[in-house]
Amino acid sequence: MNFTSLLTVHSQKSKRMENNLSRSGSRSSSVCELEKDISDMEIIKSRTNRRSVFVRTQPARKAKRIRFFRNGDKFYSGVIIPVLPERYRSFDSLTADLTRVLVDNVTLPSGVRTIYSLEGRKIGKLDDLEDGQSYVCSGFGEPFKRLDYEASAVTPQSFRLSGPETLSDSASPSPARANNRLSKYLQTNGSTTTGNGSPRVSPAGDNVVRPRIVTIIRNGVKPRKVCRLLLNKRNSPTLEHALAAITECIKLDTGCVRKVFTQSGTSVTALHQFFDEDDVFFAYGNERVNQEDFELEFEESKAVLQCRKTPITRNSRSGPKPRMPVKASGAARKENETTGGSGDSEQTQLANLLPHPLRLKYNVGKIIGDGNFAVVRICTDKTTGKDYALKVIDKAKCKGKEHYVEAEVRVMRKLCHPRIVSLIEEQDSPEWLFLIMELVSGGDLFDSIAAASKFSEPQSRLLIGHLTSAIAYLHSLSIVHRDIKPENLLVEVGPDGSVRGLKLADFGLAVEVWHPLQAVCGTPTYVAPEILLETGYGLKIDVWAAGVILYILLCGFPPFSSPDGDQEKLFDAILSARLEFPAPHWERVSAGAIDLVANMLRPQPELRFAAEDVLDHAWMSEDYDEMCGLHTWYDEDSS
Ligand SMILES: Nc1ncnc2c1ncn2[C@@H]1O[C@H](COP(=O)(O)OP(=O)(O)OP(=O)(O)O)[C@@H](O)[C@H]1O
């Protein structure tokens, strides 16, 4: 599980989804397009061809597009779901799906139990749901709360600055009606609007806003919730919009965020303050502000540091070659390094913590890795002598994010692929979650890159082939990993220590996709532009990340970086879509490799290669080097 999430340290993981939603015959179709297509197509899996194909087999049946709100949550703008009888054979299957979809955005501890119309009428069957209408989901025993839910359906997040009154959601009503709702929303939230209901974007505001991650501390009992939020022109064209974005991010118990302070206690009254020096902010509703609020407890400081931790080096050398991002190392790893591994007493302690069935079956050994929430140790099956990896997840560290851990396990249980680390078994205790996983003992790809600096084309082909086949498999199940990076790729090594292959691990951010996702998450160096733009994203973000990795394998540094380690500049570079293959580092790389990288790093997801396109690319063929001559140099004129 990796919580280097951009949006919040309580990272973003949502759930669920529709099975068999794969790519259409047109290789470049996006998830959004597929969402449209699925309504009138039936999926037939071609066994002979690796690719899933859509074949129209029956008259088109249109999905009902329905928006679902969270009961009592006027800030949640709802989720739109296409409802088709093929997809939901029972009302319960719809509520189960809604539970998985909503858990990313709202608190629903017992899941969706009841669906109401906006007027509070209980919905009992699928046929009662009307196309284009909105409904309210409530949990167990919750009475219906009458609110103007549709007002929140047009939050600033769904407002496009670039187009006149267009809404990001295709199922939104007419611009006029949407405008009314937007205007109503802004009025109820104290914002000013222009005559036509658009948010007033001051030229000054326009100038100050740039993609920037800030840390927000939610007022409350210490240790307080610490979140990360990406502010950009889309969600923060005005101060009011920024406050609404913060409200949505931290979900204050007391409703709207009304006051924000910097750590020095200065009240934030102008938009530019979010883009000045301070990057830690304290958010309040109507509560009183006390001086001691600005003092951080140890746990809070740790969370803030974690938020700030960027894998981009701040000690960049001058010179043409950008450096690799710095690997985040966890506390346990450091501890392991200084103590030379886990001592006997520590091991005994852990063995005592193990649930009885695991204690009977395994001997626990030394620490082999750690993350923010888990320590991973070697363990050995007492009967067979086979080694496994035991991941011990500390539930206390995951407080409030339990559903992400559950999602990680749920996703892993479904997977069975030679290039994906398999989950052997799991055991739960009130404080810990124990996962027994396949052991991949060669460390991670980050360390291999650090050791090798860069890889030959055949080695890069092998590694990217393994990674892409894992991604293609995930995508065939409509699962997006969302945190593909060298640290999450475990390496298999041969007896001579050479890299033989890799396996994909860490499904902490993985989620099933059946509508464009919005949660901003991932790791900055590998994040796709559509995530930063917050226009909704899908499976192709994994291909982008794999493209970044292929670029790194071939030349030893990332395609997008910031010379001084500034994260905002990194985002600007990603958004600029300027992909360069600078000499001398790329001079000896073949044209085929460069072509593949360029297709994996296309800024428009609909033009970007899908995972199977990558596998089909000529450069991926083992014969490529032979066909083209071993040292096909990249000729700039032929690009
Ligand atoms: N199956 C495995 N075999 C060998 N080593 C593993 C395995 N799984 C994890 N590790 C090692 O343990 C480290 C931490 O694991 P993982 O990233 O899953 O933990 P996490 O707490 O979820 O991490 P994060 O901080 O990224 O959320 C990995 O970086 C890797 O080095």
Side-chain angles (χ1 to χ4, degrees):
M1 173 178 51
N2 195 311
F3 285 86
T4 33
S5 153
L6 300 186
L7 179 61
T8 124
V9 163
H10 310 275
S11 144
Q12 312 304 322
K13 302 162 189 203
S14 57
K15 310 338 24 195
R16 183 334 87 176
M17 133 75 221
E18 165 67 29
N19 47 13
N20 282 345
L21 173 57
S22 184
R23 291 166 315 102
S24 73
S26 94
R27 296 174 170 197
S28 54
S29 57
S30 67
V31 172
C32 323
E33 287 167 332
L34 291 176
E35 280 298 325
K36 265 191 284 144
D37 293 350
I38 191 110
S39 62
D40 55 12
M41 295 199 176
E42 203 158 84
I43 305 159
I44 293 185
K45 285 234 165 197
S46 157
R47 296 270 170 228
T48 49
N49 185 335
R50 267 202 323 254
R51 184 164 301 118
S52 302
V53 290
F54 287 99
V55 180
R56 190 184 289 271
T57 57
Q58 43 179 254
R61 235 178 315 180
K62 202 172 163 298
K64 291 190 265 189
R65 292 185 68 88
I66 294 169
R67 189 187 285 268
F68 293 94
F69 293 103
R70 165 74 174 103
N71 188 34
D73 189 342
K74 75 169 184 167
F75 297 105
Y76 178 50
S77 53
V79 59
I80 293 182
I81 290 177
V83 177
L84 252 188
E86 286 83 352
R87 176 175 290 179
Y88 302 113
R89 302 214 176 268
S90 69
F91 193 67
D92 285 349
S93 66
L94 171 67
T95 53
D97 250 1
L98 278 168
T99 299
R100 287 185 278 265
V101 170
L102 290 175
V103 75
D104 198 24
N105 302 299
V106 296
T107 314
L108 252 169
S110 56
V112 174
R113 295 295 183 92
T114 314
I115 298 178
Y116 293 100
S117 70
L118 291 183
E119 297 74 41
R121 181 172 46 87
K122 241 184 190 170
I123 303 296
K125 49 187 198 303
L126 291 171
D127 287 348
D128 293 347
L129 297 168
E130 283 177 44
D131 187 23
Q133 294 304 308
S134 300
Y135 295 85
V136 176
C137 300
S138 80
F140 180 72
E142 282 179 14
F144 172 74
K145 294 193 185 119
R146 193 176 297 276
L147 293 175
D148 188 358
Y149 290 99
E150 293 210 301
S152 61
V154 189
T155 62
Q157 276 77 5
S158 58
F159 189 86
R160 277 186 212 282
L161 284 175
S162 51
E165 289 86 51
T166 51
L167 292 172
S168 60
D169 205 316
S170 58
S172 297
S174 70
R177 188 173 156 213
N179 246 352
N180 283 339
R181 295 201 326 216
L182 176 65
S183 138
K184 210 154 126 201
Y185 171 85
L186 292 171
Q187 278 157 21
T188 53
N189 285 279
S191 174
T192 51
T193 58
T194 60
N196 66 5
S198 309
R200 196 190 303 280
V201 184
S202 70
D206 217 17
N207 287 337
V208 295
V209 180
R210 60 190 189 282
R212 184 187 200 210
I213 292 175
V214 294
T215 303
I216 310 287
I217 298 176
R218 182 177 79 166
N219 184 43
V221 180
K222 291 182 183 179
R224 293 160 291 182
K225 184 178 174 185
V226 178
C227 302
R228 297 188 91 184
L229 174 66
L230 173 70
L231 296 178
N232 59 20
K233 284 187 178 164
R234 187 171 156 73
N235 69 1
S236 302
T238 68
L239 179 62
E240 289 77 13
H241 285 76
L243 295 180
I246 296 172
T247 298
E248 181 146 311
C249 167
I250 63 167
K251 300 199 167 56
L252 262 192
D253 299 336
T254 50
C256 242
V257 168
R258 298 187 188 279
K259 293 174 277 192
V260 176
F261 291 85
T262 65
Q263 205 168 357
S264 57
T266 310
S267 168
V268 174
T269 53
L271 186 61
H272 70 82
Q273 287 172 276
F274 283 119
F275 301 90
D276 293 343
E277 292 261 293
D278 292 298
D279 64 348
V280 177
F281 298 92
F282 295 75
Y284 295 79
N286 277 329
E287 315 88 86
R288 278 195 26 200
V289 180
N290 297 309
Q291 191 53 42
E292 53 276 22
D293 293 349
F294 305 118
E295 286 154 23
L296 299 182
E297 276 193 348
F298 179 65
E299 280 298 314
E300 295 172 337
S301 304
K302 250 173 52 185
V304 168
L305 276 179
Q306 187 57 47
C307 276
R308 280 199 177 129
K309 199 157 65 185
T310 156
I312 308 298
T313 175
R314 293 192 176 268
N315 309 317
S316 179
R317 284 180 307 196
S318 58
K321 185 178 171 182
R323 292 175 61 183
M324 273 294 287
V326 170
K327 183 183 186 180
S329 64
R333 186 181 296 126
K334 283 191 211 111
E335 177 195 316
N336 195 29
E337 278 162 9
T338 51
T339 61
S342 67
D344 283 350
S345 64
E346 207 186 318
Q347 259 165 252
T348 318
Q349 269 176 14
L350 181 75
N352 291 338
L353 285 178
L354 277 187
H356 193 61
L358 293 185
R359 214 180 316 154
L360 279 182
K361 201 164 166 193
Y362 300 99
N363 283 322
V364 180
K366 63 172 184 173
I367 294 176
I368 50 172
D370 69 337
N372 295 310
F373 304 92
V375 174
V376 179
R377 290 169 180 267
I378 236 172
C379 72
T380 312
D381 187 313
K382 291 181 186 172
T383 325
T384 64
K386 191 168 172 153
D387 288 335
Y388 293 95
L390 165 66
K391 180 166 173 176
V392 185
I393 299 172
D394 183 348
K395 289 188 178 172
K397 290 186 181 164
C398 306
K399 246 193 172 132
K401 300 153 245 164
E402 294 82 357
H403 49 283
Y404 301 146
V405 180
E406 284 160 22
E408 174 174 11
V409 176
R410 198 170 49 238
V411 167
M412 281 194 85
R413 267 193 225 126
K414 280 189 193 168
L415 305 176
C416 176
H417 188 273
R419 294 291 138 213
I420 293 179
V421 170
S422 47
L423 177 65
I424 311 294
E425 61 179 304
E426 81 231 31
Q427 285 281 328
D428 214 357
S429 84
E431 278 123 29
W432 311 93
L433 177 64
F434 303 89
L435 306 181
I436 305 282
M437 299 181 297
E438 171 188 9
L439 176 72
V440 190
S441 51
D444 64 43
L445 185 64
F446 191 101
D447 291 335
S448 302
I449 293 172
S453 152
K454 62 179 180 174
F455 288 77
S456 69
E457 289 199 31
Q459 280 174 317
S460 305
R461 175 179 302 121
L462 175 84
L463 297 178
I464 224 64
H466 286 180
L467 170 59
T468 315
S469 66
I471 296 175
Y473 167 75
L474 283 181
H475 290 188
S476 74
L477 300 171
S478 299
I479 294 171
V480 59
H481 184 280
R482 300 205 288 186
D483 204 14
I484 305 263
K485 59 179 176 180
E487 292 90 320
N488 288 336
L489 297 171
L490 301 178
V491 168
E492 296 170 315
V493 288
D496 58 348
S498 63
V499 174
R500 291 283 169 86
L502 51 79
K503 294 196 183 225
L504 179 57
D506 198 345
F507 289 82
L509 289 178
V511 62
E512 287 172 291
V513 187
W514 64 307
H515 59 88
L517 300 169
Q518 300 291 341
V520 181
C521 61
T523 298
T525 300
Y526 309 92
V527 82
E530 63 268 28
I531 298 183
L532 295 175
L533 287 169
E534 297 193 74
T535 46
Y537 63 87
L539 302 171
K540 296 275 186 77
I541 61 159
D542 287 343
V543 177
W544 173 279
V548 173
I549 293 174
L550 177 56
Y551 188 107
I552 292 171
L553 290 176
L554 291 167
C555 72
F557 55 88
F560 307 102
S561 59
S562 138
D564 56 2
D566 184 309
Q567 207 163 68
E568 287 134 51
K569 288 188 195 148
L570 168 66
F571 293 158
D572 284 343
I574 293 170
L575 291 169
S576 77
R578 245 196 341 268
L579 180 62
E580 284 167 3
F581 299 95
H585 317 288
W586 283 87
E587 269 174 0
R588 287 175 171 264
V589 178
S590 70
I594 288 176
D595 181 71
L596 178 56
V597 171
N599 276 301
M600 295 171 83
L601 293 179
R602 282 187 178 238
Q604 310 89 331
E606 54 290 349
L607 299 180
R608 191 179 308 148
F609 269 15
E612 289 195 357
D613 301 328
V614 175
L615 294 172
D616 287 345
H617 190 271
W619 182 78
M620 290 300 291
S621 148
E622 279 171 15
D623 306 335
Y624 180 85
D625 295 332
E626 244 167 67
M627 284 180 331
C628 303
L630 266 178
H631 297 292
T632 313
W633 284 24
Y634 176 56
D635 173 2
E636 275 192 14
D637 297 337
S638 66
S639 62

